[in-house]
Amino acid sequence: MNIDLSEEALEFGRLAKRALEAAGGDELAQIAEREPDRRESLVGPVLAELGAWQLDPRDSADELEAAAALCRSAGYWAVSYPVAERLCRPSDLDADGLVVVADPAPAAAVGGLDRRWAAVTLDGRRSMATARPMAASPRRSAFVVELDLESVDDAGASDVPLGLVLPCWTLLGMLDRAVELARSYVREREQFGQPLATFQGVQFQLTEAEVERVGLEELAKYALWSIEAGRHEALDDALALRLAAVEAAERVLRVAHQLHGAIGFCDETVLSWVSRQSVPLRRLPLGLSGTRAELTRRLGRRGLTGIFG
Amino acid sequence: MATSDLEEFRAEARRWCQAHIPADWRQTQVGVSDEEDVSFQKAWFQELRKAGYAVPHWPREWGGGMSVAEQIVLYQELAAHDAPRLVLAFVSIHHAASTLLAAGTEEQRRRHLPAILDGEIWVQGFSEPEAGSDLASLRTTARREGDAFVVNGQKLWASGAAHADWCLLLARTDVTAPKRKGISYLLMDMRSPGVDVRPIRNASGEWHFCEIFLNDVVIPASQLVGPENEGWRVAQETLSAERGMTMLELSERLGNAGFRWLVEECSRARPDGLRLLDDALVQDGLAALETEIAGLRLLCRGLVERHEAGTAGPVEASVVKLFYSELLQRMMDFGTEVVGLAAQTSLHKPGSSGWESGAWALDFIGSWEWTIPGGASEIQRTIIAERGLGMPREPEVAR
Ligand SMILES: Cc1cc2nc3c(=O)[nH]c(=O)nc-3n(C[C@H](O)[C@H](O)[C@H](O)COP(=O)(O)OP(=O)(O)OC[C@H]3O[C@@H](n4cnc5c(N)ncnc54)[C@H](O)[C@@H]3O)c2cc1C
């Protein structure tokens, strides 16, 4: 068993990262927040040119892995576009994307986009979703809007693992970036006549963030493989990944903020944007305790199967 | 004070709260302009002042005089009745007053303490672009010229400077002395020529941070606090007020407002008929928070009592600051978590609210800031290790 992404998928991810950088990089999120009407035109065409919308992650392992690598690159630039959600679009419904919903008041970060959405609950009930208008500015809402659902069928069980796993790859990309930002910041910023990085108290915090990030990366690969392999535990693995991703995000972002000091809360720093864009991914469809409760309910006393079966 | 007197005081404070706290301030203060926010804050301060509740922690002769037990009762009642917080006057009634009472001249106290009661607003001008954790490396200079100092430099992160009348300013008066030996503590009129304030927007979209540019600002020598070049020592008064004394009110807030709402939120039946409170995980989380809040309140009380008796140790304020800020974060994590989706969609935080505004998503982001100001957690830990536990100092290139 090999859970690593294929070399082609990795190369596609690198290509996407460069293309998004050329299209604006860090500025993509900033422009989208200032001019919400440009949310689609900023990112959509770049990804179309890369061939992103020809990818069908349900079709083959190669395409699934390429989709994951693309999400990670989009996360790295915190692009504020539902890349994972669009990649998950169901083939048999007239929809441009798919979101997993879990609450009596379903919501998703799809505000300001003129797209058709399908939604699926954790138990596989599918609907068509209409996004309500944004109730608050993107700065405040991070483009989260409530959804009105119109029931379709109960055939979505196999959509759920994919719909949970790909957004975790986006979040992973954000954590890649947060660790990178914190690492370079503490090497540059001097206090007490020396770079912050020379304090062991700083190094240890950064190391803890890095350990979280690396652990998440492994789990993300595993949950992806679980989908590829068509394992019937794929949903358990997806929920376990989500739990780990949300936990890792809190720890990594908190360390990154702490090490940036006051400036990390100002929009002059990229970290401020990354952490704001990460909020919907961490909260929706289920936050930490919701995900944990769902996983516990599903697993009972059985435990996860894991790589070694 | 006898328990019965204290209970009588509580009843009185409660009646006052019921009669005076505007019932609808949370609605009316959402999305208000800066000017409206400031005038609401000033009016609320005067309401409290009329009742003798604005500065209960000050000495009696200056308009305060409540015992620690009474202060706690007052803060409990204000929190339980969800009174607006004194956000604007925070630095004036705590940092400025503590500094003046500990190190100011009689004339400085007479000039400013009554003025603070009349609404004079203060800002803390300590941090600089290159002097954050290493505050003593500050570069703003104050050059003595006859009866005045001429100040040049830049201050950063000054919360609320846009509305301030006066500034607690640290500046270097001896550029040749070792870092901590050449700093002086000055009171600066924000309307002086050469003072330029620019707001900075923060991650939750607010503007409370400011930069202050100082260009040949003239400060009369009579506005020096403590001896020239001994400002570092005076600044410790300000910092210990910030780290410790302000926490008495904040910890009662945490217990009687923020935590109480969390419990209420968890007790509410959701659309599916279930209550979060019925979940063992939630019960566990709430019980852990309750225990920690009880501990924090005791710590704060002990600190303030010992401070008044002059017996507080060198690290107590750091312990309180560290514990409060990290507990606040744990509570916000939990709140954001269990309130779940509502946390993501309710993003209206009223002015005049504290870190527990009830808009969990914003409070969550806001709480992350708390382990930074007044000395980041790492600095508090260093103080506790070195001065409390007698550990050797961290090796340093320059201090
Ligand atoms: C909400 C808020 C309000 C503020 N209000 C004011 C105000 O009104 N007036 C004012 O003057 N200032 C104010 N400040 C500034 C505050 O005092 C500084 O942010 C603080 O001293 C840290 O400085 P810095 O941000 O430059 O971080 P840095 O000093 O650059 O440190 C960044 C991080 O590095 C780590 N670090 C630093 N030194 C060490 C060490 N020795 N060992 C281990 N780790 C270390 C810590 O994690 C720290 O958070 C405010 C800050 C915040 C966040």
PDB file of all heavy atoms in Angstrom, chain A residues 29-50:
ATOM      1  N   ALA A  29      -7.063  36.761  -1.981  1.00  0.00           N
ATOM      2  CA  ALA A  29      -8.008  36.824  -0.864  1.00  0.00           C
ATOM      3  C   ALA A  29      -8.346  38.271  -0.525  1.00  0.00           C
ATOM      4  O   ALA A  29      -9.490  38.597  -0.201  1.00  0.00           O
ATOM      5  CB  ALA A  29      -7.423  36.122   0.359  1.00  0.00           C
ATOM      6  N   GLN A  30      -7.343  39.131  -0.635  1.00  0.00           N
ATOM      7  CA  GLN A  30      -7.562  40.529  -0.266  1.00  0.00           C
ATOM      8  C   GLN A  30      -8.511  41.218  -1.241  1.00  0.00           C
ATOM      9  O   GLN A  30      -9.402  41.955  -0.834  1.00  0.00           O
ATOM     10  CB  GLN A  30      -6.218  41.259  -0.209  1.00  0.00           C
ATOM     11  CG  GLN A  30      -5.250  40.528   0.719  1.00  0.00           C
ATOM     12  CD  GLN A  30      -3.868  41.150   0.775  1.00  0.00           C
ATOM     13  OE1 GLN A  30      -3.662  42.260   0.316  1.00  0.00           O
ATOM     14  NE2 GLN A  30      -2.927  40.425   1.354  1.00  0.00           N
ATOM     15  N   ILE A  31      -8.304  40.931  -2.535  1.00  0.00           N
ATOM     16  CA  ILE A  31      -9.180  41.546  -3.538  1.00  0.00           C
ATOM     17  C   ILE A  31     -10.602  41.009  -3.386  1.00  0.00           C
ATOM     18  O   ILE A  31     -11.570  41.765  -3.417  1.00  0.00           O
ATOM     19  CB  ILE A  31      -8.655  41.287  -4.974  1.00  0.00           C
ATOM     20  CG1 ILE A  31      -7.259  41.899  -5.137  1.00  0.00           C
ATOM     21  CG2 ILE A  31      -9.605  41.871  -6.009  1.00  0.00           C
ATOM     22  CD1 ILE A  31      -6.549  41.477  -6.417  1.00  0.00           C
ATOM     23  N   ALA A  32     -10.721  39.691  -3.184  1.00  0.00           N
ATOM     24  CA  ALA A  32     -12.058  39.101  -3.061  1.00  0.00           C
ATOM     25  C   ALA A  32     -12.815  39.723  -1.891  1.00  0.00           C
ATOM     26  O   ALA A  32     -14.021  39.957  -1.973  1.00  0.00           O
ATOM     27  CB  ALA A  32     -11.955  37.589  -2.878  1.00  0.00           C
ATOM     28  N   GLU A  33     -12.102  40.010  -0.814  1.00  0.00           N
ATOM     29  CA  GLU A  33     -12.777  40.586   0.342  1.00  0.00           C
ATOM     30  C   GLU A  33     -13.221  42.026   0.064  1.00  0.00           C
ATOM     31  O   GLU A  33     -14.305  42.439   0.447  1.00  0.00           O
ATOM     32  CB  GLU A  33     -11.841  40.531   1.557  1.00  0.00           C
ATOM     33  CG  GLU A  33     -12.577  40.709   2.857  1.00  0.00           C
ATOM     34  CD  GLU A  33     -11.663  40.512   4.055  1.00  0.00           C
ATOM     35  OE1 GLU A  33     -11.465  39.352   4.466  1.00  0.00           O
ATOM     36  OE2 GLU A  33     -11.166  41.524   4.583  1.00  0.00           O
ATOM     37  N   ARG A  34     -12.349  42.755  -0.629  1.00  0.00           N
ATOM     38  CA  ARG A  34     -12.673  44.151  -0.959  1.00  0.00           C
ATOM     39  C   ARG A  34     -13.751  44.247  -2.025  1.00  0.00           C
ATOM     40  O   ARG A  34     -14.613  45.099  -1.985  1.00  0.00           O
ATOM     41  CB  ARG A  34     -11.416  44.843  -1.497  1.00  0.00           C
ATOM     42  CG  ARG A  34     -10.716  45.723  -0.514  1.00  0.00           C
ATOM     43  CD  ARG A  34      -9.721  46.664  -1.178  1.00  0.00           C
ATOM     44  NE  ARG A  34      -9.070  46.198  -2.380  1.00  0.00           N
ATOM     45  CZ  ARG A  34      -7.878  45.582  -2.413  1.00  0.00           C
ATOM     46  NH1 ARG A  34      -7.236  45.325  -1.292  1.00  0.00           N
ATOM     47  NH2 ARG A  34      -7.339  45.209  -3.558  1.00  0.00           N
ATOM     48  N   GLU A  35     -13.631  43.341  -3.023  1.00  0.00           N
ATOM     49  CA  GLU A  35     -14.566  43.395  -4.153  1.00  0.00           C
ATOM     50  C   GLU A  35     -15.199  42.022  -4.338  1.00  0.00           C
ATOM     51  O   GLU A  35     -14.795  41.257  -5.217  1.00  0.00           O
ATOM     52  CB  GLU A  35     -13.814  43.799  -5.427  1.00  0.00           C
ATOM     53  CG  GLU A  35     -13.105  45.147  -5.314  1.00  0.00           C
ATOM     54  CD  GLU A  35     -12.172  45.381  -6.505  1.00  0.00           C
ATOM     55  OE1 GLU A  35     -12.671  45.358  -7.646  1.00  0.00           O
ATOM     56  OE2 GLU A  35     -10.966  45.556  -6.284  1.00  0.00           O
ATOM     57  N   PRO A  36     -16.184  41.714  -3.499  1.00  0.00           N
ATOM     58  CA  PRO A  36     -16.772  40.364  -3.504  1.00  0.00           C
ATOM     59  C   PRO A  36     -17.293  39.944  -4.877  1.00  0.00           C
ATOM     60  O   PRO A  36     -17.330  38.757  -5.179  1.00  0.00           O
ATOM     61  CB  PRO A  36     -17.919  40.458  -2.495  1.00  0.00           C
ATOM     62  CG  PRO A  36     -17.758  41.749  -1.777  1.00  0.00           C
ATOM     63  CD  PRO A  36     -16.789  42.607  -2.510  1.00  0.00           C
ATOM     64  N   ASP A  37     -17.653  40.914  -5.713  1.00  0.00           N
ATOM     65  CA  ASP A  37     -18.167  40.570  -7.038  1.00  0.00           C
ATOM     66  C   ASP A  37     -17.114  39.888  -7.901  1.00  0.00           C
ATOM     67  O   ASP A  37     -17.440  39.232  -8.882  1.00  0.00           O
ATOM     68  CB  ASP A  37     -18.626  41.838  -7.779  1.00  0.00           C
ATOM     69  CG  ASP A  37     -19.859  42.417  -7.135  1.00  0.00           C
ATOM     70  OD1 ASP A  37     -20.479  41.688  -6.324  1.00  0.00           O
ATOM     71  OD2 ASP A  37     -20.188  43.589  -7.422  1.00  0.00           O
ATOM     72  N   ARG A  38     -15.844  40.088  -7.551  1.00  0.00           N
ATOM     73  CA  ARG A  38     -14.779  39.498  -8.375  1.00  0.00           C
ATOM     74  C   ARG A  38     -14.348  38.127  -7.875  1.00  0.00           C
ATOM     75  O   ARG A  38     -13.378  37.556  -8.375  1.00  0.00           O
ATOM     76  CB  ARG A  38     -13.573  40.446  -8.412  1.00  0.00           C
ATOM     77  CG  ARG A  38     -13.870  41.721  -9.187  1.00  0.00           C
ATOM     78  CD  ARG A  38     -12.691  42.659  -9.173  1.00  0.00           C
ATOM     79  NE  ARG A  38     -11.504  42.077  -9.793  1.00  0.00           N
ATOM     80  CZ  ARG A  38     -10.281  42.594  -9.672  1.00  0.00           C
ATOM     81  NH1 ARG A  38     -10.094  43.670  -8.930  1.00  0.00           N
ATOM     82  NH2 ARG A  38      -9.247  42.024 -10.268  1.00  0.00           N
ATOM     83  N   ARG A  39     -15.065  37.609  -6.887  1.00  0.00           N
ATOM     84  CA  ARG A  39     -14.644  36.348  -6.288  1.00  0.00           C
ATOM     85  C   ARG A  39     -14.480  35.250  -7.340  1.00  0.00           C
ATOM     86  O   ARG A  39     -13.520  34.491  -7.322  1.00  0.00           O
ATOM     87  CB  ARG A  39     -15.687  35.930  -5.243  1.00  0.00           C
ATOM     88  CG  ARG A  39     -15.157  34.968  -4.230  1.00  0.00           C
ATOM     89  CD  ARG A  39     -16.197  34.524  -3.231  1.00  0.00           C
ATOM     90  NE  ARG A  39     -15.605  33.485  -2.385  1.00  0.00           N
ATOM     91  CZ  ARG A  39     -16.282  32.578  -1.731  1.00  0.00           C
ATOM     92  NH1 ARG A  39     -17.601  32.555  -1.799  1.00  0.00           N
ATOM     93  NH2 ARG A  39     -15.665  31.669  -1.005  1.00  0.00           N
ATOM     94  N   GLU A  40     -15.441  35.181  -8.237  1.00  0.00           N
ATOM     95  CA  GLU A  40     -15.392  34.135  -9.266  1.00  0.00           C
ATOM     96  C   GLU A  40     -14.289  34.424 -10.294  1.00  0.00           C
ATOM     97  O   GLU A  40     -13.451  33.567 -10.598  1.00  0.00           O
ATOM     98  CB  GLU A  40     -16.755  34.058  -9.973  1.00  0.00           C
ATOM     99  CG  GLU A  40     -16.809  33.088 -11.141  1.00  0.00           C
ATOM    100  CD  GLU A  40     -16.849  31.633 -10.690  1.00  0.00           C
ATOM    101  OE1 GLU A  40     -17.654  31.319  -9.784  1.00  0.00           O
ATOM    102  OE2 GLU A  40     -16.072  30.825 -11.241  1.00  0.00           O
ATOM    103  N   SER A  41     -14.272  35.647 -10.793  1.00  0.00           N
ATOM    104  CA  SER A  41     -13.391  35.941 -11.927  1.00  0.00           C
ATOM    105  C   SER A  41     -11.913  35.948 -11.530  1.00  0.00           C
ATOM    106  O   SER A  41     -11.039  35.804 -12.377  1.00  0.00           O
ATOM    107  CB  SER A  41     -13.781  37.274 -12.570  1.00  0.00           C
ATOM    108  OG  SER A  41     -13.602  38.317 -11.627  1.00  0.00           O
ATOM    109  N   LEU A  42     -11.626  36.095 -10.241  1.00  0.00           N
ATOM    110  CA  LEU A  42     -10.237  36.113  -9.798  1.00  0.00           C
ATOM    111  C   LEU A  42      -9.579  34.742  -9.914  1.00  0.00           C
ATOM    112  O   LEU A  42      -8.401  34.624 -10.237  1.00  0.00           O
ATOM    113  CB  LEU A  42     -10.165  36.531  -8.323  1.00  0.00           C
ATOM    114  CG  LEU A  42     -10.250  38.018  -8.010  1.00  0.00           C
ATOM    115  CD1 LEU A  42     -10.454  38.204  -6.509  1.00  0.00           C
ATOM    116  CD2 LEU A  42      -8.999  38.737  -8.465  1.00  0.00           C
ATOM    117  N   VAL A  43     -10.351  33.706  -9.603  1.00  0.00           N
ATOM    118  CA  VAL A  43      -9.766  32.375  -9.457  1.00  0.00           C
ATOM    119  C   VAL A  43     -10.315  31.377 -10.475  1.00  0.00           C
ATOM    120  O   VAL A  43      -9.568  30.556 -11.020  1.00  0.00           O
ATOM    121  CB  VAL A  43     -10.023  31.841  -8.020  1.00  0.00           C
ATOM    122  CG1 VAL A  43      -9.500  30.425  -7.873  1.00  0.00           C
ATOM    123  CG2 VAL A  43      -9.358  32.755  -7.001  1.00  0.00           C
ATOM    124  N   GLY A  44     -11.610  31.490 -10.755  1.00  0.00           N
ATOM    125  CA  GLY A  44     -12.270  30.525 -11.635  1.00  0.00           C
ATOM    126  C   GLY A  44     -11.509  30.305 -12.946  1.00  0.00           C
ATOM    127  O   GLY A  44     -11.154  29.156 -13.278  1.00  0.00           O
ATOM    128  N   PRO A  45     -11.217  31.360 -13.695  1.00  0.00           N
ATOM    129  CA  PRO A  45     -10.561  31.178 -15.003  1.00  0.00           C
ATOM    130  C   PRO A  45      -9.157  30.565 -14.899  1.00  0.00           C
ATOM    131  O   PRO A  45      -8.783  29.758 -15.743  1.00  0.00           O
ATOM    132  CB  PRO A  45     -10.469  32.605 -15.558  1.00  0.00           C
ATOM    133  CG  PRO A  45     -11.517  33.383 -14.831  1.00  0.00           C
ATOM    134  CD  PRO A  45     -11.629  32.760 -13.486  1.00  0.00           C
ATOM    135  N   VAL A  46      -8.410  30.933 -13.847  1.00  0.00           N
ATOM    136  CA  VAL A  46      -7.065  30.369 -13.688  1.00  0.00           C
ATOM    137  C   VAL A  46      -7.162  28.855 -13.531  1.00  0.00           C
ATOM    138  O   VAL A  46      -6.399  28.093 -14.141  1.00  0.00           O
ATOM    139  CB  VAL A  46      -6.369  30.952 -12.425  1.00  0.00           C
ATOM    140  CG1 VAL A  46      -4.943  30.440 -12.321  1.00  0.00           C
ATOM    141  CG2 VAL A  46      -6.423  32.464 -12.428  1.00  0.00           C
ATOM    142  N   LEU A  47      -8.123  28.442 -12.712  1.00  0.00           N
ATOM    143  CA  LEU A  47      -8.265  27.012 -12.470  1.00  0.00           C
ATOM    144  C   LEU A  47      -8.804  26.303 -13.709  1.00  0.00           C
ATOM    145  O   LEU A  47      -8.408  25.167 -14.015  1.00  0.00           O
ATOM    146  CB  LEU A  47      -9.164  26.765 -11.259  1.00  0.00           C
ATOM    147  CG  LEU A  47      -8.596  27.313  -9.943  1.00  0.00           C
ATOM    148  CD1 LEU A  47      -9.526  26.993  -8.786  1.00  0.00           C
ATOM    149  CD2 LEU A  47      -7.209  26.743  -9.659  1.00  0.00           C
ATOM    150  N   ALA A  48      -9.671  26.985 -14.450  1.00  0.00           N
ATOM    151  CA  ALA A  48     -10.194  26.397 -15.688  1.00  0.00           C
ATOM    152  C   ALA A  48      -9.041  26.143 -16.658  1.00  0.00           C
ATOM    153  O   ALA A  48      -8.940  25.082 -17.272  1.00  0.00           O
ATOM    154  CB  ALA A  48     -11.230  27.322 -16.306  1.00  0.00           C
ATOM    155  N   GLU A  49      -8.162  27.108 -16.758  1.00  0.00           N
ATOM    156  CA  GLU A  49      -7.024  26.978 -17.664  1.00  0.00           C
ATOM    157  C   GLU A  49      -6.113  25.811 -17.281  1.00  0.00           C
ATOM    158  O   GLU A  49      -5.552  25.138 -18.136  1.00  0.00           O
ATOM    159  CB  GLU A  49      -6.236  28.280 -17.667  1.00  0.00           C
ATOM    160  CG  GLU A  49      -5.271  28.370 -18.816  1.00  0.00           C
ATOM    161  CD  GLU A  49      -4.919  29.826 -19.121  1.00  0.00           C
ATOM    162  OE1 GLU A  49      -5.844  30.669 -19.057  1.00  0.00           O
ATOM    163  OE2 GLU A  49      -3.746  30.099 -19.368  1.00  0.00           O
ATOM    164  N   LEU A  50      -6.009  25.588 -15.986  1.00  0.00           N
ATOM    165  CA  LEU A  50      -5.199  24.458 -15.512  1.00  0.00           C
ATOM    166  C   LEU A  50      -5.864  23.116 -15.804  1.00  0.00           C
ATOM    167  O   LEU A  50      -5.261  22.062 -15.641  1.00  0.00           O
ATOM    168  CB  LEU A  50      -5.020  24.545 -13.995  1.00  0.00           C
ATOM    169  CG  LEU A  50      -3.923  25.445 -13.444  1.00  0.00           C
ATOM    170  CD1 LEU A  50      -4.122  25.600 -11.946  1.00  0.00           C
ATOM    171  CD2 LEU A  50      -2.555  24.849 -13.732  1.00  0.00           C
TER     172      LEU A  50
END
